Amino acid sequence: MSPAFRAMDVEPRDKGILLEPFVHQVGGHSCVLRFNETTLCKPLVPREHQFYETLPAEMRKFTPQYKAVLIFVRFADEFGASGNIETKEQGVVSVSFEEDEDRNLCLIAHPLKGDHGTVDSVDNSDCEPKSKLLRWTNKKHHVLETDKTSKDWVRQHRKEEKAKSHKLEEEFEWLKKSEVLYYSVEKKGNVSSQLKHYNPWSMKCHQQQLQRMKENAKHRNQYKFILLENLTSRYEVPCVLDLKMGTRQHGDDASEEKAANQIRKCQQSTSAVIGVRVCGMQVYQAGSGQLMFMNKYHGRKLSVQGFKEALFQFFHNGRYLRRELLGPVLRKLTELKGVLERQESYRFYSSSLLIIYDGKERPEVALDSDAEDLEDLSEESADESAGAYAYKPIGTSSVDVRMIDFAHTTCRLYGEDSVVHEGQDAGYIFGLQSLIDIVTEISEESGE
């Protein structure tokens, strides 16, 4: 059995699952899509798929979990009886390019058919339009638009959605040109709900994926995607830092031109000096109510001091440094370094490291407060009376550290590689140690 976890019990679906953009993607060039609240999917690269199927057990806590879906097989016998028989586990889905009745482009996931993980030809001509597709959530399955809905309301709703879509497209045209930008979020209402449409990098990747599939639609309309854990799902306002790790980024199979290009990028960035560079960032600044985005182009331009300042900015909420996060980050980085030092032959070329925490802080409470007061005290009330009492956060802030992107990973266990490396991935480990040193400096300079 593959190292899949949390197999999801899924009812039979003939119409497929509508895939949405993953709005917290801050780096990379491969489009990551939202399958459901806790699951993402991305285009299957054989080498990355092989990595997730065979990775060492002690590394699993430092990678997204490779997920499985249990697909019920519908049967009908000769006497007219029908039902569901045994299920099969799949960590891969088939994704097709579709247009809805309004000619909006969308991506639809279907379970793989056939044996041995192959994709059978699927006729998608009867695929329901985007507005009627079913999607899986943690709650009961629901139809986005039911037959009982008023046709007039549907027509008006579509006009409003189309107007919003055109406005967003115009905004993204200039957003995508900015390497660092700030987006003001209204302080009233749910901050997390307002994050949905304003990550320019994720939308750029999504649009590029749609364009590639549209161009190939006449020749191919079936793509394999793997299912992976959504690392941001447990955070209300995810702050995400994507770091490109290692002193070398090109794989052993890279062409001379590709290798030269990757070597140049490393030499012109902090990758060559400290073995790590910023590939993308999303951070919520509570002080100003703004979201700050930084893309990989800006990350490449940073000096070592600039890298340190960017790291400081990632852990700063606009009012103060989130010092309570630094200790857990250091412990996880140190543990990961120990794990990688025990891995023989692995090379994680072009892999990234994600650091994630919640920009929505837990409320602070007075040290001498009663239990009932602790439940009712809000973050705002704590701020108003901070001069009269000593306050501490409720619970422990969580922070996550995970390795991602393994399309160019190599190991002697794979067998078919022409180049076999021995010993540790010194470049990646060097980057981890640099990161540990810089986070330690930030911690010490901040007085922790």
Side-chain angles (χ1 to χ4, degrees):
M1 176 178 282
S2 66
F5 89 125
R6 292 184 189 171
M8 294 169 286
D9 224 8
V10 180
E11 296 178 4
R13 288 290 178 261
D14 297 325
K15 303 304 182 184
I17 304 301
L18 172 64
L19 300 177
E20 300 175 349
F22 174 54
V23 298
H24 301 305
Q25 180 181 357
V26 301
H29 62 273
S30 179
C31 177
V32 179
L33 299 166
R34 182 184 183 275
F35 183 81
N36 65 17
E37 185 175 344
T38 61
T39 309
L40 304 177
C41 61
K42 61 182 295 191
L44 184 150
V45 176
R47 177 50 52 90
E48 183 168 44
H49 189 210
Q50 185 178 24
F51 171 82
Y52 279 114
E53 290 276 3
T54 61
L55 82 164
E58 63 177 344
M59 285 189 62
R60 290 177 191 166
K61 66 183 295 186
F62 291 107
T63 64
Q65 300 301 305
Y66 174 59
K67 305 190 74 168
V69 178
L70 294 181
I71 307 297
F72 285 95
V73 180
R74 174 80 68 181
F75 77 87
D77 61 27
E78 57 183 318
F79 301 106
S82 63
N84 295 325
I85 55 176
E86 64 181 68
T87 62
K88 60 180 180 177
E89 180 185 288
Q90 293 183 153
V92 180
V93 292
S94 173
V95 175
S96 59
F97 171 88
E98 309 287 349
E99 286 189 355
D100 67 13
E101 58 188 17
D102 294 322
R103 301 190 67 80
N104 294 315
L105 307 181
C106 52
L107 297 176
I108 313 299
H110 302 271
L112 283 182
K113 296 186 178 182
D115 296 327
H116 309 298
T118 59
V119 182
D120 288 347
S121 175
V122 178
D123 181 6
N124 295 306
S125 59
D126 65 343
C127 181
E128 291 286 347
K130 179 178 180 179
S131 57
K132 292 185 179 180
L133 288 169
L134 296 172
R135 56 184 176 183
W136 295 324
T137 68
N138 286 340
K139 300 179 182 179
K140 293 182 178 180
H141 301 300
H142 62 282
V143 181
L144 298 182
E145 181 181 309
T146 67
D147 294 335
K148 297 180 181 179
T149 307
S150 164
K151 291 184 178 180
D152 292 337
W153 183 90
V154 171
R155 192 175 295 109
Q156 180 62 29
H157 177 69
R158 284 180 177 164
K159 287 182 180 179
E160 293 174 356
E161 289 299 310
K162 188 168 289 188
K164 289 180 182 178
S165 176
H166 288 315
K167 183 178 179 181
L168 286 173
E169 288 177 3
E170 293 176 1
E171 290 181 1
F172 283 127
E173 285 306 311
W174 69 266
L175 284 176
K176 288 186 293 186
K177 297 176 183 178
S178 303
E179 294 180 0
V180 179
L181 61 93
Y182 293 82
Y183 175 76
S184 295
V185 179
E186 293 179 4
K187 292 190 176 181
K188 294 182 180 180
N190 188 344
V191 174
S192 60
S193 67
Q194 298 176 46
L195 289 170
K196 185 173 182 181
H197 298 295
Y198 291 96
N199 188 319
W201 191 261
S202 66
M203 296 307 296
K204 178 180 180 179
C205 292
H206 185 71
Q207 291 169 356
Q208 289 175 340
Q209 181 71 28
L210 284 173
Q211 186 61 34
R212 285 193 296 267
M213 294 179 76
K214 181 179 180 180
E215 292 172 354
N216 295 329
K218 292 182 180 179
H219 309 287
R220 180 188 179 194
N221 195 27
Q222 289 275 328
Y223 296 81
K224 290 183 182 180
F225 278 56
I226 60 172
L227 299 175
L228 298 171
E229 175 187 9
N230 178 3
L231 299 173
T232 68
S233 63
R234 62 193 179 101
Y235 300 110
E236 186 172 346
V237 184
C239 295
V240 185
L241 178 63
D242 186 322
L243 299 170
K244 186 70 72 174
M245 301 299 296
T247 54
R248 168 181 162 174
Q249 300 302 322
H250 62 281
D252 292 322
D253 59 344
S255 65
E256 290 186 8
E257 181 181 0
K258 178 68 177 292
N261 186 43
Q262 292 294 345
I263 291 171
R264 177 180 54 80
K265 290 177 183 178
C266 288
Q267 291 175 339
Q268 295 177 351
S269 69
T270 56
S271 292
V273 184
I274 57 175
V276 55
R277 70 172 183 256
V278 173
C279 193
M281 181 192 299
Q282 168 180 299
V283 60
Y284 177 63
Q285 300 185 318
S288 61
Q290 291 182 320
L291 288 168
M292 191 278 282
F293 301 106
M294 180 184 296
N295 68 25
K296 66 179 182 181
Y297 302 112
H298 184 76
R300 290 178 191 166
K301 299 176 182 178
L302 296 176
S303 63
V304 174
Q305 180 59 31
F307 176 88
K308 179 178 177 181
E309 291 171 357
L311 207 59
F312 180 90
Q313 188 173 24
F314 176 67
F315 290 110
H316 200 285
N317 69 0
R319 293 184 301 199
Y320 52 83
L321 184 69
R322 296 285 301 274
R323 289 190 297 269
E324 79 279 7
L325 301 172
L326 301 181
V329 166
L330 284 172
R331 287 191 291 273
K332 292 189 177 185
L333 290 174
T334 302
E335 184 181 355
L336 174 58
K337 179 172 174 283
V339 169
L340 295 188
E341 287 173 340
R342 293 189 290 273
Q343 306 309 312
E344 289 289 325
S345 184
Y346 274 100
R347 295 295 182 272
F348 303 99
Y349 298 135
S350 199
S351 179
S352 286
L353 189 72
L354 292 185
I355 301 178
I356 311 171
Y357 71 87
D358 203 334
K360 180 73 172 180
E361 294 182 80
R362 296 174 181 269
E364 295 183 326
V365 299
L367 295 176
D368 56 352
S369 298
D370 294 332
E372 293 182 0
D373 295 335
L374 300 186
E375 295 179 0
D376 299 332
L377 187 62
S378 67
E379 186 176 0
E380 289 75 17
S381 64
D383 289 340
E384 291 173 359
S385 55
Y389 297 93
Y391 287 85
K392 67 176 181 179
I394 297 176
T396 303
S397 297
S398 63
V399 62
D400 209 352
V401 174
R402 304 286 187 105
M403 299 172 68
I404 61 168
D405 297 339
F406 304 101
H408 301 287
T409 294
T410 180
C411 177
R412 66 184 175 208
L413 300 177
Y414 295 165
E416 71 275 14
D417 291 350
S418 59
V419 180
V420 177
H421 301 272
E422 298 297 334
Q424 308 166 344
D425 187 338
Y428 198 113
I429 293 172
F430 172 61
L432 276 177
Q433 186 58 56
S434 298
L435 194 54
I436 291 170
D437 293 341
I438 293 174
V439 175
T440 300
E441 288 178 17
I442 293 174
S443 178
E444 292 175 348
E445 291 172 2
S446 67
E448 181 172 301

PDB file of all heavy atoms in Angstrom, residues 267-292:
ATOM      1  N   GLN A 267      24.125  31.915  -9.167  1.00  0.00           N
ATOM      2  CA  GLN A 267      25.280  32.785  -8.981  1.00  0.00           C
ATOM      3  C   GLN A 267      24.878  34.232  -8.741  1.00  0.00           C
ATOM      4  O   GLN A 267      25.580  34.973  -8.046  1.00  0.00           O
ATOM      5  CB  GLN A 267      26.196  32.691 -10.207  1.00  0.00           C
ATOM      6  CG  GLN A 267      26.901  31.350 -10.345  1.00  0.00           C
ATOM      7  CD  GLN A 267      27.698  31.241 -11.626  1.00  0.00           C
ATOM      8  OE1 GLN A 267      27.452  31.977 -12.590  1.00  0.00           O
ATOM      9  NE2 GLN A 267      28.661  30.326 -11.645  1.00  0.00           N
ATOM     10  N   GLN A 268      23.742  34.644  -9.316  1.00  0.00           N
ATOM     11  CA  GLN A 268      23.291  36.025  -9.200  1.00  0.00           C
ATOM     12  C   GLN A 268      22.354  36.243  -8.008  1.00  0.00           C
ATOM     13  O   GLN A 268      21.812  37.333  -7.843  1.00  0.00           O
ATOM     14  CB  GLN A 268      22.593  36.449 -10.492  1.00  0.00           C
ATOM     15  CG  GLN A 268      23.523  36.484 -11.694  1.00  0.00           C
ATOM     16  CD  GLN A 268      22.800  36.834 -12.983  1.00  0.00           C
ATOM     17  OE1 GLN A 268      21.566  36.890 -13.033  1.00  0.00           O
ATOM     18  NE2 GLN A 268      23.553  37.083 -14.043  1.00  0.00           N
ATOM     19  N   SER A 269      22.154  35.220  -7.211  1.00  0.00           N
ATOM     20  CA  SER A 269      21.262  35.326  -6.049  1.00  0.00           C
ATOM     21  C   SER A 269      21.969  34.814  -4.805  1.00  0.00           C
ATOM     22  O   SER A 269      23.142  34.453  -4.841  1.00  0.00           O
ATOM     23  CB  SER A 269      19.980  34.519  -6.305  1.00  0.00           C
ATOM     24  OG  SER A 269      20.257  33.125  -6.317  1.00  0.00           O
ATOM     25  N   THR A 270      21.227  34.747  -3.717  1.00  0.00           N
ATOM     26  CA  THR A 270      21.800  34.252  -2.460  1.00  0.00           C
ATOM     27  C   THR A 270      21.998  32.736  -2.464  1.00  0.00           C
ATOM     28  O   THR A 270      22.618  32.203  -1.546  1.00  0.00           O
ATOM     29  CB  THR A 270      20.890  34.633  -1.276  1.00  0.00           C
ATOM     30  OG1 THR A 270      19.564  34.125  -1.522  1.00  0.00           O
ATOM     31  CG2 THR A 270      20.833  36.145  -1.087  1.00  0.00           C
ATOM     32  N   SER A 271      21.501  32.039  -3.479  1.00  0.00           N
ATOM     33  CA  SER A 271      21.645  30.580  -3.533  1.00  0.00           C
ATOM     34  C   SER A 271      23.113  30.164  -3.495  1.00  0.00           C
ATOM     35  O   SER A 271      23.487  29.211  -2.805  1.00  0.00           O
ATOM     36  CB  SER A 271      20.986  30.021  -4.797  1.00  0.00           C
ATOM     37  OG  SER A 271      19.586  30.162  -4.742  1.00  0.00           O
ATOM     38  N   ALA A 272      23.963  30.881  -4.257  1.00  0.00           N
ATOM     39  CA  ALA A 272      25.377  30.505  -4.318  1.00  0.00           C
ATOM     40  C   ALA A 272      26.108  30.818  -3.023  1.00  0.00           C
ATOM     41  O   ALA A 272      27.060  30.126  -2.653  1.00  0.00           O
ATOM     42  CB  ALA A 272      26.051  31.230  -5.487  1.00  0.00           C
ATOM     43  N   VAL A 273      25.659  31.848  -2.299  1.00  0.00           N
ATOM     44  CA  VAL A 273      26.371  32.315  -1.110  1.00  0.00           C
ATOM     45  C   VAL A 273      25.941  31.582   0.150  1.00  0.00           C
ATOM     46  O   VAL A 273      26.773  31.151   0.955  1.00  0.00           O
ATOM     47  CB  VAL A 273      26.178  33.837  -0.925  1.00  0.00           C
ATOM     48  CG1 VAL A 273      26.992  34.344   0.269  1.00  0.00           C
ATOM     49  CG2 VAL A 273      26.558  34.583  -2.194  1.00  0.00           C
ATOM     50  N   ILE A 274      24.613  31.417   0.310  1.00  0.00           N
ATOM     51  CA  ILE A 274      24.106  30.803   1.546  1.00  0.00           C
ATOM     52  C   ILE A 274      23.237  29.567   1.284  1.00  0.00           C
ATOM     53  O   ILE A 274      22.705  28.974   2.217  1.00  0.00           O
ATOM     54  CB  ILE A 274      23.313  31.819   2.398  1.00  0.00           C
ATOM     55  CG1 ILE A 274      22.143  32.414   1.595  1.00  0.00           C
ATOM     56  CG2 ILE A 274      24.243  32.917   2.919  1.00  0.00           C
ATOM     57  CD1 ILE A 274      21.249  33.340   2.419  1.00  0.00           C
ATOM     58  N   GLY A 275      23.070  29.180   0.019  1.00  0.00           N
ATOM     59  CA  GLY A 275      22.330  27.957  -0.287  1.00  0.00           C
ATOM     60  C   GLY A 275      20.829  28.061  -0.145  1.00  0.00           C
ATOM     61  O   GLY A 275      20.138  27.039  -0.054  1.00  0.00           O
ATOM     62  N   VAL A 276      20.285  29.278  -0.162  1.00  0.00           N
ATOM     63  CA  VAL A 276      18.836  29.463  -0.046  1.00  0.00           C
ATOM     64  C   VAL A 276      18.475  30.837  -0.596  1.00  0.00           C
ATOM     65  O   VAL A 276      19.249  31.788  -0.482  1.00  0.00           O
ATOM     66  CB  VAL A 276      18.374  29.326   1.436  1.00  0.00           C
ATOM     67  CG1 VAL A 276      19.133  30.280   2.348  1.00  0.00           C
ATOM     68  CG2 VAL A 276      16.873  29.519   1.571  1.00  0.00           C
ATOM     69  N   ARG A 277      17.298  30.919  -1.229  1.00  0.00           N
ATOM     70  CA  ARG A 277      16.808  32.227  -1.682  1.00  0.00           C
ATOM     71  C   ARG A 277      15.287  32.263  -1.576  1.00  0.00           C
ATOM     72  O   ARG A 277      14.627  31.210  -1.531  1.00  0.00           O
ATOM     73  CB  ARG A 277      17.247  32.528  -3.117  1.00  0.00           C
ATOM     74  CG  ARG A 277      16.586  31.692  -4.212  1.00  0.00           C
ATOM     75  CD  ARG A 277      16.974  32.225  -5.596  1.00  0.00           C
ATOM     76  NE  ARG A 277      16.331  31.523  -6.688  1.00  0.00           N
ATOM     77  CZ  ARG A 277      16.914  30.627  -7.460  1.00  0.00           C
ATOM     78  NH1 ARG A 277      18.189  30.296  -7.237  1.00  0.00           N
ATOM     79  NH2 ARG A 277      16.259  30.058  -8.453  1.00  0.00           N
ATOM     80  N   VAL A 278      14.733  33.463  -1.528  1.00  0.00           N
ATOM     81  CA  VAL A 278      13.284  33.635  -1.430  1.00  0.00           C
ATOM     82  C   VAL A 278      12.659  33.362  -2.786  1.00  0.00           C
ATOM     83  O   VAL A 278      13.059  33.938  -3.799  1.00  0.00           O
ATOM     84  CB  VAL A 278      12.926  35.062  -0.959  1.00  0.00           C
ATOM     85  CG1 VAL A 278      11.411  35.275  -1.034  1.00  0.00           C
ATOM     86  CG2 VAL A 278      13.424  35.304   0.460  1.00  0.00           C
ATOM     87  N   CYS A 279      11.669  32.478  -2.798  1.00  0.00           N
ATOM     88  CA  CYS A 279      10.962  32.128  -4.027  1.00  0.00           C
ATOM     89  C   CYS A 279       9.547  32.700  -4.036  1.00  0.00           C
ATOM     90  O   CYS A 279       8.898  32.761  -5.070  1.00  0.00           O
ATOM     91  CB  CYS A 279      10.924  30.614  -4.187  1.00  0.00           C
ATOM     92  SG  CYS A 279      10.424  30.053  -5.815  1.00  0.00           S
ATOM     93  N   GLY A 280       9.060  33.120  -2.878  1.00  0.00           N
ATOM     94  CA  GLY A 280       7.731  33.708  -2.789  1.00  0.00           C
ATOM     95  C   GLY A 280       7.340  33.915  -1.339  1.00  0.00           C
ATOM     96  O   GLY A 280       7.835  33.218  -0.445  1.00  0.00           O
ATOM     97  N   MET A 281       6.460  34.889  -1.112  1.00  0.00           N
ATOM     98  CA  MET A 281       6.051  35.168   0.269  1.00  0.00           C
ATOM     99  C   MET A 281       4.649  35.758   0.276  1.00  0.00           C
ATOM    100  O   MET A 281       4.261  36.520  -0.615  1.00  0.00           O
ATOM    101  CB  MET A 281       7.020  36.159   0.924  1.00  0.00           C
ATOM    102  CG  MET A 281       6.690  36.480   2.379  1.00  0.00           C
ATOM    103  SD  MET A 281       7.623  37.899   3.036  1.00  0.00           S
ATOM    104  CE  MET A 281       9.313  37.336   2.872  1.00  0.00           C
ATOM    105  N   GLN A 282       3.896  35.385   1.281  1.00  0.00           N
ATOM    106  CA  GLN A 282       2.581  35.977   1.557  1.00  0.00           C
ATOM    107  C   GLN A 282       2.500  36.167   3.055  1.00  0.00           C
ATOM    108  O   GLN A 282       2.606  35.197   3.814  1.00  0.00           O
ATOM    109  CB  GLN A 282       1.467  35.044   1.080  1.00  0.00           C
ATOM    110  CG  GLN A 282       0.065  35.416   1.556  1.00  0.00           C
ATOM    111  CD  GLN A 282      -0.980  34.441   1.050  1.00  0.00           C
ATOM    112  OE1 GLN A 282      -1.174  34.285  -0.155  1.00  0.00           O
ATOM    113  NE2 GLN A 282      -1.660  33.753   1.966  1.00  0.00           N
ATOM    114  N   VAL A 283       2.323  37.399   3.519  1.00  0.00           N
ATOM    115  CA  VAL A 283       2.275  37.642   4.955  1.00  0.00           C
ATOM    116  C   VAL A 283       1.221  38.705   5.262  1.00  0.00           C
ATOM    117  O   VAL A 283       1.087  39.696   4.537  1.00  0.00           O
ATOM    118  CB  VAL A 283       3.660  38.062   5.508  1.00  0.00           C
ATOM    119  CG1 VAL A 283       4.161  39.331   4.843  1.00  0.00           C
ATOM    120  CG2 VAL A 283       3.638  38.223   7.025  1.00  0.00           C
ATOM    121  N   TYR A 284       0.459  38.469   6.307  1.00  0.00           N
ATOM    122  CA  TYR A 284      -0.573  39.405   6.743  1.00  0.00           C
ATOM    123  C   TYR A 284      -0.001  40.305   7.820  1.00  0.00           C
ATOM    124  O   TYR A 284       0.565  39.833   8.803  1.00  0.00           O
ATOM    125  CB  TYR A 284      -1.786  38.650   7.289  1.00  0.00           C
ATOM    126  CG  TYR A 284      -2.864  39.564   7.836  1.00  0.00           C
ATOM    127  CD1 TYR A 284      -3.514  40.466   7.004  1.00  0.00           C
ATOM    128  CD2 TYR A 284      -3.216  39.523   9.185  1.00  0.00           C
ATOM    129  CE1 TYR A 284      -4.496  41.303   7.499  1.00  0.00           C
ATOM    130  CE2 TYR A 284      -4.196  40.356   9.684  1.00  0.00           C
ATOM    131  CZ  TYR A 284      -4.837  41.249   8.837  1.00  0.00           C
ATOM    132  OH  TYR A 284      -5.802  42.087   9.332  1.00  0.00           O
ATOM    133  N   GLN A 285      -0.150  41.601   7.613  1.00  0.00           N
ATOM    134  CA  GLN A 285       0.346  42.579   8.563  1.00  0.00           C
ATOM    135  C   GLN A 285      -0.831  43.185   9.315  1.00  0.00           C
ATOM    136  O   GLN A 285      -1.547  44.045   8.795  1.00  0.00           O
ATOM    137  CB  GLN A 285       1.160  43.655   7.841  1.00  0.00           C
ATOM    138  CG  GLN A 285       2.372  43.051   7.117  1.00  0.00           C
ATOM    139  CD  GLN A 285       3.265  44.078   6.491  1.00  0.00           C
ATOM    140  OE1 GLN A 285       2.788  45.039   5.897  1.00  0.00           O
ATOM    141  NE2 GLN A 285       4.564  43.900   6.643  1.00  0.00           N
ATOM    142  N   ALA A 286      -1.016  42.689  10.535  1.00  0.00           N
ATOM    143  CA  ALA A 286      -2.170  43.093  11.333  1.00  0.00           C
ATOM    144  C   ALA A 286      -2.145  44.583  11.658  1.00  0.00           C
ATOM    145  O   ALA A 286      -3.190  45.215  11.826  1.00  0.00           O
ATOM    146  CB  ALA A 286      -2.221  42.270  12.621  1.00  0.00           C
ATOM    147  N   GLY A 287      -0.952  45.153  11.769  1.00  0.00           N
ATOM    148  CA  GLY A 287      -0.844  46.564  12.131  1.00  0.00           C
ATOM    149  C   GLY A 287      -1.498  47.487  11.131  1.00  0.00           C
ATOM    150  O   GLY A 287      -2.152  48.464  11.500  1.00  0.00           O
ATOM    151  N   SER A 288      -1.357  47.170   9.837  1.00  0.00           N
ATOM    152  CA  SER A 288      -1.912  48.027   8.789  1.00  0.00           C
ATOM    153  C   SER A 288      -3.122  47.403   8.101  1.00  0.00           C
ATOM    154  O   SER A 288      -3.757  48.053   7.272  1.00  0.00           O
ATOM    155  CB  SER A 288      -0.830  48.316   7.736  1.00  0.00           C
ATOM    156  OG  SER A 288      -0.379  47.101   7.138  1.00  0.00           O
ATOM    157  N   GLY A 289      -3.416  46.143   8.433  1.00  0.00           N
ATOM    158  CA  GLY A 289      -4.509  45.453   7.765  1.00  0.00           C
ATOM    159  C   GLY A 289      -4.197  45.162   6.310  1.00  0.00           C
ATOM    160  O   GLY A 289      -5.098  45.108   5.470  1.00  0.00           O
ATOM    161  N   GLN A 290      -2.908  44.951   6.000  1.00  0.00           N
ATOM    162  CA  GLN A 290      -2.498  44.709   4.626  1.00  0.00           C
ATOM    163  C   GLN A 290      -1.923  43.309   4.446  1.00  0.00           C
ATOM    164  O   GLN A 290      -1.397  42.715   5.378  1.00  0.00           O
ATOM    165  CB  GLN A 290      -1.427  45.714   4.191  1.00  0.00           C
ATOM    166  CG  GLN A 290      -1.923  47.130   4.038  1.00  0.00           C
ATOM    167  CD  GLN A 290      -0.819  48.049   3.557  1.00  0.00           C
ATOM    168  OE1 GLN A 290       0.324  47.953   3.979  1.00  0.00           O
ATOM    169  NE2 GLN A 290      -1.156  48.961   2.665  1.00  0.00           N
ATOM    170  N   LEU A 291      -2.040  42.830   3.217  1.00  0.00           N
ATOM    171  CA  LEU A 291      -1.352  41.615   2.795  1.00  0.00           C
ATOM    172  C   LEU A 291      -0.124  42.043   2.005  1.00  0.00           C
ATOM    173  O   LEU A 291      -0.204  42.946   1.171  1.00  0.00           O
ATOM    174  CB  LEU A 291      -2.249  40.761   1.911  1.00  0.00           C
ATOM    175  CG  LEU A 291      -3.411  40.055   2.598  1.00  0.00           C
ATOM    176  CD1 LEU A 291      -4.363  39.513   1.542  1.00  0.00           C
ATOM    177  CD2 LEU A 291      -2.905  38.929   3.462  1.00  0.00           C
ATOM    178  N   MET A 292       0.985  41.418   2.273  1.00  0.00           N
ATOM    179  CA  MET A 292       2.195  41.709   1.516  1.00  0.00           C
ATOM    180  C   MET A 292       2.574  40.478   0.715  1.00  0.00           C
ATOM    181  O   MET A 292       2.627  39.374   1.247  1.00  0.00           O
ATOM    182  CB  MET A 292       3.340  42.096   2.452  1.00  0.00           C
ATOM    183  CG  MET A 292       4.561  42.682   1.727  1.00  0.00           C
ATOM    184  SD  MET A 292       5.674  41.445   1.016  1.00  0.00           S
ATOM    185  CE  MET A 292       6.536  40.924   2.477  1.00  0.00           C
TER     186      MET A 292
END
